[in-house]
């Protein structure tokens, strides 16, 4: 199969990156710290805005916006994955060979994918509400006033009963 990526200068993209054989290693120490460092290192050399991100044990989702004259998200992912592989202190392969990307078309598409990212830890059963997951930019967006702190919480929790 010949997969063709859609490269758009200044584009906004949704990504899914998965670990090799879905091994739950991304939120373990020291891997999570190496992953954070890799993102910071790449951002300094190849600017990008991280609109939203969530890191789960076996995969991550994020939305990036690239500079107006730049479309090269593949190099950024190669560098991030390479740094984690080299410095993550895991003796087996860490990543699936590819990643999945989707070019976001408009504000509605961006909002739908951001909601998907933030709800993902709840969907997978790690937490009862997005604000409880530590490896996400959700709380950053709450502080910016983009989401209420209780967004995406389970309405059937005992402390939410009767408050509809």
């Amino acid at each position: 199969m010949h997969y063709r990526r859609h490269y758009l200068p200044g584009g906004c993209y949704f990504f899914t990156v998965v670990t090799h054989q879905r091994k739950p290693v991304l939120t373990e120490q020291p891997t999570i710290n190496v992953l954070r460092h890799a993102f910071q290192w790449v951002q300094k050399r190849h600017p990008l805005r991280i609109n939203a991100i969530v890191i789960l044990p076996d995969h991550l989702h994020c939305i990036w916006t690239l500079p107006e004259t730049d479309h090269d998200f593949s190099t950024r992912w190669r560098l991030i994955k390479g740094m984690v592989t080299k410095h993550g202190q895991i003796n087996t392969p860490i990543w699936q060979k590819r990643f999945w990307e989707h070019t976001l078309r408009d504000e509605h598409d961006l909002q739908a994918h951001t909601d998907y990212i933030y709800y993902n830890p709840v969907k997978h059963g790690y937490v009862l509400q997005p604000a409880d997951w530590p490896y996400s930019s959700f709380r950053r967006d709450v502080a910016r006033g983009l989401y209420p702190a209780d967004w995406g919480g389970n309405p059937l929790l005992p402390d939410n009963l009767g408050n509809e």
Side-chain angles (χ1 to χ4, degrees):
M1 182 171 107
H2 297 284
Y3 182 78
R4 294 177 60 156
R5 300 215 181 265
H6 182 241
Y7 293 102
L8 177 68
C12 186
Y13 301 94
F14 169 83
F15 297 99
T16 300
V17 182
V18 180
T19 62
H20 180 69
Q21 298 178 341
R22 291 260 181 192
K23 291 178 184 164
V25 297
L26 294 181
T27 55
E28 295 176 357
Q29 295 295 343
T31 308
I32 190 71
N33 290 335
V34 172
L35 185 58
R36 283 183 179 134
H37 175 74
F39 269 97
Q40 292 167 354
W41 188 89
V42 168
Q43 277 184 290
K44 287 179 184 172
R45 287 150 185 83
H46 303 276
L48 65 104
R49 182 174 73 232
I50 299 175
N51 302 66
I53 189 167
V54 67
I55 301 165
L56 299 169
D58 64 353
H59 69 285
L60 65 86
H61 299 291
C62 58
I63 296 172
W64 292 355
T65 300
L66 298 182
E68 289 298 319
T69 59
D70 193 347
H71 65 270
D72 191 5
F73 53 79
S74 291
T75 293
R76 289 166 171 86
W77 278 119
R78 180 180 52 79
L79 292 168
I80 290 167
K81 290 168 77 173
M83 286 186 74
V84 174
T85 298
K86 183 176 180 181
H87 301 289
Q89 299 178 4
I90 297 173
N91 296 327
T92 61
I94 296 176
W95 303 106
Q96 281 188 0
K97 291 186 185 235
R98 295 181 182 236
F99 58 86
W100 189 81
E101 109 275 341
H102 165 73
T103 305
L104 298 174
R105 298 178 302 273
D106 54 30
E107 287 297 318
H108 176 74
D109 202 15
L110 173 63
Q111 187 63 56
H113 282 83
T114 303
D115 290 351
Y116 178 84
I117 284 172
Y118 289 153
Y119 194 74
N120 217 245
V122 177
K123 172 187 162 188
H124 288 284
Y126 293 114
V127 292
L128 296 174
Q129 58 187 13
D132 294 338
W133 188 248
Y135 309 112
S136 167
S137 57
F138 179 75
R139 286 177 288 200
R140 176 200 70 188
D141 283 356
V142 168
R144 291 177 177 172
L146 301 176
Y147 283 85
D150 62 351
W151 180 89
N154 187 336
L156 300 178
L157 291 175
D159 57 346
N160 288 340
L161 290 177
N163 295 329
E164 298 179 51

